Amino acid sequence: MTFVMGPALLFCPADRPERFQKAAERSDAVIIDLEDAVAAPDKKRARGAILAQLGSSGEGPELDPSRTIIRINPAGTEDFEKDLHCLAHTPYRTVMLAKTESAEQLRALDGFHVIALCETAAGIVNAPAIAAAPNVVALMWGAEDLLASLGGTSSRNDDGGYRAVALHARSSVLLAAGAFGKEAVDAVYVNIPDLDGLAEEARDAVASGFGSKACIHPSQVAAVRAAYAPSADEVAAARELLEAARAAGTGVFQFNGKMIDGPILKHAEATLRKAR
């Protein structure tokens, strides 16, 4: 299973159905959130909103299932079971499991493509086992819930950069996903007006190997897409390099005064995939 919904994934509260279609139109995939974005008394109504937009006359759902993710409540909770009961009556089969902490929790999601959201200390420590689960298509990490689970107060320093423990968690999830051939999704950037900071963080996500980044506001989508879209010069350089590799016909060769080998060619191939 390959996750191909990115790069800009946009959260939308499940109890705001009037926003569903707008969020889907403004992003590469929409994450309908049944967890933190919905207050406990409103969760029943939120599940009803997901069912209501399916229609009653047999027509297709308002949202494209191939571009829709449902974030469900943590495993072991009453709301988790209610979320699954709701989804059984829908065509949506890609879910994001909030606060994933072990591979065992994923067994209840057989038949779903799962984005495992590792946002607690247990989830980060167990990320490799979680990534190895066959129904997991991607891993995402979350900073604020992680720091809260540790008893901390903030994931970022005064200059806006992540604290060391958050950076460790980010790297751990990225490495676990990569080790098992799964997509890695970077955490949200909560300072909505700071689009320059978001752009910088998104560029780092691309350079580090994250395949997607989650957004919490439509205004963030453009910055994420821009970070993932190679420039015309980068695309041209990648094509030229790969053509030179085909002409050389050897594993290692010189190009523009530099020694070129397999990893550099993989970077060029990745650039062309992003351009497509």
Side-chain angles (χ1 to χ4, degrees):
M1 294 181 291
T2 302
F3 182 82
V4 293
M5 292 190 188
L9 314 178
L10 179 59
F11 277 100
C12 180
D15 61 346
R16 300 299 301 270
E18 73 279 6
R19 297 182 182 178
F20 288 1
Q21 192 60 43
K22 291 180 180 178
E25 291 170 354
R26 296 176 184 179
S27 62
D28 298 306
V30 61
I31 306 170
I32 303 300
D33 190 1
L34 283 166
E35 197 224 2
D36 281 347
V38 181
D42 297 326
K43 289 186 185 291
K44 180 178 180 180
R45 181 166 60 86
R47 286 186 283 266
I50 292 175
L51 294 172
Q53 59 88 41
L54 297 176
S56 58
S57 59
E59 68 270 21
E62 176 183 340
L63 298 173
D64 179 356
S66 70
R67 297 180 53 245
T68 301
I69 302 160
I70 309 295
R71 177 159 78 163
I72 59 177
N73 286 277
T77 65
E78 183 178 350
D79 281 310
F80 172 80
E81 299 299 334
K82 292 179 178 178
D83 292 346
L84 292 190
H85 180 73
C86 168
L87 292 179
H89 300 281
T90 77
Y92 304 126
R93 286 298 174 267
T94 301
V95 299
M96 177 180 289
L97 178 59
K99 298 175 179 64
T100 307
E101 295 192 326
S102 70
E104 289 73 20
Q105 294 175 338
L106 299 164
R107 294 174 184 168
L109 294 171
D110 185 39
F112 289 94
H113 298 169
V114 183
I115 302 171
L117 179 48
C118 301
E119 50 184 342
T120 66
I124 299 301
V125 170
N126 293 325
I130 292 167
N135 57 340
V136 167
V137 294
L139 268 67
M140 178 175 163
W141 76 289
E144 300 310 322
D145 280 295
L146 170 63
L147 267 291
S149 79
L150 296 171
T153 58
S154 174
S155 66
R156 294 183 186 266
N157 297 306
D158 292 340
D159 64 1
Y162 280 121
R163 298 185 188 280
V165 65
L167 288 174
H168 173 77
R170 186 179 190 240
S171 298
S172 295
V173 167
L174 176 61
L175 289 168
F180 291 93
K182 309 297 174 70
E183 183 94 334
V185 180
D186 200 21
V188 298
Y189 192 83
V190 298
N191 188 351
I192 295 173
D194 182 18
L195 295 180
D196 289 339
L198 168 63
E200 181 179 356
E201 187 167 287
R203 288 192 293 269
D204 180 76
V206 176
S208 297
F210 285 95
S212 304
K213 188 168 180 63
C215 305
I216 56 173
H217 193 274
S219 65
Q220 297 181 321
V221 169
V224 171
R225 284 177 169 168
Y228 276 88
S231 69
D233 288 344
E234 289 171 333
V235 172
R239 287 175 174 158
E240 185 180 6
L241 176 60
L242 292 173
E243 182 60 34
R246 285 189 287 270
T250 60
V252 178
F253 64 100
Q254 287 191 38
F255 179 72
N256 290 342
K258 296 180 180 180
M259 187 66 70
I260 305 299
D261 58 6
I264 296 176
L265 295 177
K266 288 182 179 179
H267 289 315
E269 291 168 350
T271 295
L272 296 187
R273 283 198 301 273
K274 290 183 174 70
R276 290 193 293 270

